[in-house]
Amino acid sequence: QLVAYEVKRMKAEEGNKQKILRHIKELAEKLYKNENPYPAVTMHKVQRPSEGCHLRLHQRPFPRLDEGTVQWIIDQATAKLQSAPPAVRAEKKCMVPSGPPIAAILERNGNALANSARRLEVVRNCISYVFENKMLEAKKLFPAVLRAMKGRAARHCLTQELHLHVQQNRAVLDHQQFDFVIRMMNCCLQDCTATDEHGIAAALLPLVTAFCRKLSPGITQFAYSCVQEHV
């Protein structure tokens, strides 16, 4: 229904945060009512008597119940139940038109796709600068790369680019290069979710056992020693 009816409204709202928020609230209410069609029934809690209360001297006698009043309450409840709607909600089936062509929606997402492509380009450039030892340029792009790691596409791009460098036998790094690569890997793993475990985290496993630096003759430090604390 959103695709069919709301595209024009969404276009009109672009740039107006208050209208967008109001629209989101309306949607949220619809979704909530769909999931919770019946209001919650309040249950009356009767307190349990405290221990030893029967030993008290001044016990008030239980009041005598009026038979007529009790019967009236029962009759009222029975009448309510009889007039109540059936418990199962009848499903309303309706035809939803196909709405505008997909191209109209893709136009709206054009900027987002362009932004995503730019982020991936930044990640690729920064990694290239690191491996070409252009550290000043890499430093300039580094904050943008760390921000880009919030997106799965950028995390995937990082693993692909690093894999290419391992294939080119460029796994032994100097101290500065090693530091940059470790920071990128840490940031990537930090932003990983459970769904990335068998994708991005798994793709990093062979890389962290490949990238290394020489600390002194005969002593090599591998990348996994710096990233192994991640879940």
Side-chain angles (χ1 to χ4, degrees):
Q1 282 175 331
L2 274 178
V3 171
Y5 301 125
E6 304 284 338
V7 171
K8 279 183 185 172
R9 181 178 171 183
M10 284 176 180
K11 276 190 176 175
E13 284 174 357
E14 269 176 9
N16 189 330
K17 281 188 180 177
Q18 285 182 329
K19 281 186 179 177
I20 292 169
L21 279 173
R22 193 163 67 240
H23 192 184
I24 290 168
K25 276 184 184 171
E26 285 169 20
L27 281 176
E29 279 172 23
K30 280 184 195 171
L31 290 170
Y32 183 80
K33 281 176 185 169
N34 187 55
E35 295 294 321
N36 306 280
Y38 306 111
V41 180
T42 53
M43 300 294 286
H44 295 289
K45 287 186 179 175
V46 180
Q47 288 186 340
R48 293 180 66 180
S50 58
E51 286 180 23
C53 67
H54 60 286
L55 300 173
R56 285 187 198 140
L57 295 173
H58 305 290
Q59 280 193 341
R60 291 202 318 209
F62 191 79
R64 189 170 175 79
L65 298 178
D66 178 42
E67 194 178 336
T69 308
V70 171
Q71 191 57 50
W72 179 79
I73 291 167
I74 292 168
D75 292 342
Q76 289 278 95
T78 311
K80 264 187 191 173
L81 282 173
Q82 284 169 353
S83 63
V88 180
R89 189 172 50 156
E91 238 182 75
K92 288 180 186 174
K93 293 184 179 177
C94 62
M95 288 294 290
V96 177
S98 59
I102 296 294
I105 296 163
L106 287 177
E107 277 172 27
R108 291 185 67 244
N109 294 339
N111 288 342
L113 291 170
N115 282 343
S116 180
R118 274 200 295 274
R119 281 197 199 110
L120 299 189
E121 195 58 37
V122 166
V123 172
R124 288 193 191 98
N125 288 343
C126 185
I127 292 170
S128 295
Y129 290 146
V130 168
F131 283 92
E132 287 163 15
N133 256 324
K134 295 178 179 174
M135 291 307 170
L136 204 61
E137 281 88 345
K139 263 183 192 171
K140 286 176 191 170
L141 293 182
F142 204 64
V145 170
L146 298 187
R147 279 197 302 274
M149 286 299 136
K150 298 277 179 207
R152 185 175 295 175
R155 297 198 290 271
H156 187 63
C157 175
L158 175 76
T159 60
Q160 284 181 319
E161 289 296 307
L162 291 177
H163 184 69
L164 288 174
H165 288 288
V166 168
Q167 286 180 322
Q168 294 165 11
N169 291 329
R170 297 168 80 180
V172 181
L173 311 172
D174 67 26
H175 295 303
Q176 242 186 329
Q177 288 173 322
F178 188 80
D179 183 49
F180 270 98
V181 170
I182 291 299
R183 282 169 71 189
M184 282 191 272
M185 283 179 171
N186 268 322
C187 191
C188 177
L189 286 167
Q190 186 181 315
D191 290 318
C192 276
T193 61
T195 51
D196 296 324
E197 190 176 335
H198 304 293
I200 289 150
L204 276 176
L205 271 177
L207 298 174
V208 297
T209 56
F211 285 109
C212 60
R213 65 173 166 178
K214 301 277 185 211
L215 294 178
S216 63
I219 296 175
T220 304
Q221 182 187 17
F222 284 89
Y224 66 80
S225 65
C226 302
V227 300
Q228 60 194 7
E229 297 302 317
H230 294 276
V231 178

